[in-house]
Amino acid sequence: MRVNKAAGTVLGTLLFSSIAQAGITSTSHVYEVNGIAYEGYVAYNSNVEQTRGTVMIIHDWNGVDGYEIRRAEMLAAEGYTAFAVDLFGQGNQPQSMEENRQRTGELYADREEFRARLMGSLAQTSEIPGATDKVVVMGYCFGGAAVLEMARAGADTQGFVSFHGGLGLPEGQNYDSVTAPLLILHGSADPVSGMQDLASLLDALQEAGIEHHAQVYGGARHSYTVFGSGDYDLAADRASWSALQAFLARQLH
């Protein structure tokens, strides 16, 4: 979780500036799920003849903002088409910690609606500029938990990546319907989902016979990838980004 993703750091500013010079084309993308409008964000590299594949990004608990936009443009700079999806609705982004909890709590309490928004957003990947039929889904914090929800729901993708997500298994769910490999990237000092939760998740994936990979970053706390946050860990951020790149190259080849 994070309070202010838009603040960033000098490192983030320099990174953003270098990306802006790489021929990145970006635009908002409004779409509907069950008659409700949602507003996501698309980025792709106009300097490459063919995208390397599509990456769907699921936002943290305060919705799509500068953090997801930056990550989308980082992926576009690597040659992928990135689509940061919206699970809260156009014009319905949280404005406070209380609203963050409210929006995510509503989805956690209504798993059917949660999955409808996730699957509806996934269906939109075929409509975005530079789309491909191969998609990997990734997410941070709340988005990491949403990635696992999609996996359990049997979403048809080429892979799932959770960055410091909530790892608990909701009552009545299992991993029997997972269709693609999972990559779990987590900090050993995460107070939200600790090592016991990670071990339980890996046991469940092993029991279900699902291909899975995990990297644990010693001492990294919950929001270790979030530029400017108190939890930010440069070494863990760089290592997890490298792990993502290797996973994407393998699953979207």
Side-chain angles (χ1 to χ4, degrees), residues 79-151:
Y80 296 100
T81 295
F83 179 30
V85 303
D86 171 24
L87 297 186
F88 295 149
Q90 188 179 29
N92 194 37
Q93 300 302 91
Q95 301 300 315
S96 66
M97 294 283 282
E98 182 179 355
E99 289 188 3
N100 293 346
R101 294 189 183 93
Q102 179 184 346
R103 297 285 190 277
T104 54
E106 289 168 353
L107 292 177
Y108 285 141
D110 187 347
R111 297 282 170 167
E112 184 176 348
E113 176 64 19
F114 195 5
R115 293 185 174 194
R117 296 185 192 186
L118 290 167
M119 296 304 192
S121 296
L122 177 62
Q124 276 294 308
T125 57
S126 63
E127 305 296 326
I128 63 176
T132 66
D133 59 358
K134 290 186 175 181
V135 181
V136 164
V137 181
M138 60 178 279
Y140 296 89
C141 300
F142 164 73
V147 164
L148 297 180
E149 186 74 25
M150 282 189 74

Side-chain angles (χ1 to χ4, degrees), residues 15 39 59 70 88 126 146 152 155 169 176 201 219 237 250:
L15 178 61
E39 185 173 3
H59 57 72
R70 184 180 302 163
F88 295 149
S126 63
R152 293 189 296 267
L169 182 64
D176 294 346
L201 169 59
D237 182 22
R250 182 169 64 249

Side-chain angles (χ1 to χ4, degrees), residues 6 9 25 33 55-57 59 97 155 160 165 174 176 191 196 233:
T9 62
T25 298
V33 177
V55 183
M56 173 174 155
I57 304 171
H59 57 72
M97 294 283 282
F160 305 93
N174 57 54
D176 294 346
Q196 184 174 351
D233 185 316

Side-chain angles (χ1 to χ4, degrees), residues 23-76:
I24 304 305
T25 298
S26 57
T27 182
S28 64
H29 181 77
V30 178
Y31 60 101
E32 288 191 1
V33 177
N34 294 333
I36 304 298
Y38 296 84
E39 185 173 3
Y41 181 85
V42 176
Y44 61 95
N45 191 335
S46 56
N47 285 341
V48 299
E49 293 185 4
Q50 184 173 358
T51 180
R52 298 176 65 187
T54 302
V55 183
M56 173 174 155
I57 304 171
I58 306 177
H59 57 72
D60 193 4
W61 70 340
N62 50 351
V64 179
D65 70 3
Y67 184 81
E68 285 77 22
I69 288 172
R70 184 180 302 163
R71 292 295 183 180
E73 292 176 343
M74 289 170 65
L75 286 165

